[in-house]
Amino acid sequence: MTKSARHKRRTPIQGAFYLKHRADCPVVTQADGLTLRYLLPQNSVEKSTTTIGLQEVELQPGRQTDGHSATGEQIVWQILQGAGLMNLGETQFAVVPGDIILISADQPYRLTNKSEVALRLNQITTPIPNPS
């Protein structure tokens, strides 16, 4: 779809408003080689403590993420392409397309791409409300 076609489609679609096209979303590459495309919210600066986030994540073959921790939020991963090893806390297991993984708040995790293609996944983040 061309950019002009995407622009024309930015009108209400069956009661829902068209937000943006994937190609229009900013991409950030982290030091460990992990690439994130911010779909909702639009970028990490807009990250809110009250909304969900959706990112497309890509890790190139043979690469491994630095150790991460889901500070103040829960994360759900849906593996779309590639295969790898996931370290979730003290547990290690293989991940393949179709897998859905819940990463609880403050749980350490690491991902290694063991396939010949980029490991791609959708990442959904939800903030953990502060008890008041």
Side-chain angles (χ1 to χ4, degrees):
M1 180 183 299
T2 65
K3 190 170 185 170
S4 62
R6 287 193 308 271
H7 181 72
K8 289 177 186 174
R9 205 171 81 182
R10 287 195 175 120
T11 57
I13 300 171
Q14 298 178 358
F17 188 79
Y18 178 77
L19 294 173
K20 66 186 88 171
H21 189 274
R22 175 189 173 277
D24 298 331
C25 297
V27 176
V28 175
T29 301
Q30 297 179 344
D32 59 8
L34 196 68
T35 302
L36 293 106
R37 183 181 300 270
Y38 287 90
L39 306 173
L40 287 174
Q42 187 166 344
N43 60 49
S44 60
V45 174
E46 294 176 8
K47 217 172 178 182
S48 169
T49 58
T50 59
T51 62
I52 65 169
L54 174 61
Q55 297 86 36
E56 181 181 274
V57 180
E58 190 170 288
L59 184 63
Q60 294 304 313
R63 299 295 301 260
Q64 175 177 295
T65 64
D66 294 336
H68 294 276
S69 179
T71 306
E73 62 187 4
Q74 287 190 10
I75 300 174
V76 176
W77 280 357
Q78 177 190 21
I79 307 297
L80 302 173
Q81 171 186 298
L85 285 178
M86 175 85 186
N87 290 74
L88 191 56
E90 298 295 320
T91 306
Q92 184 179 67
F93 54 94
V95 294
V96 295
D99 285 349
I100 298 174
I101 301 133
L102 173 64
I103 304 168
S104 298
D106 301 321
Q107 186 171 32
Y109 62 94
R110 180 185 310 260
L111 182 63
T112 305
N113 184 350
K114 294 290 190 178
S115 63
E116 299 293 321
V117 297
L119 197 154
R120 285 189 35 237
L121 60 98
N122 283 333
Q123 173 174 282
I124 301 168
T125 57
T126 60
I128 303 297
N130 287 332
S132 304

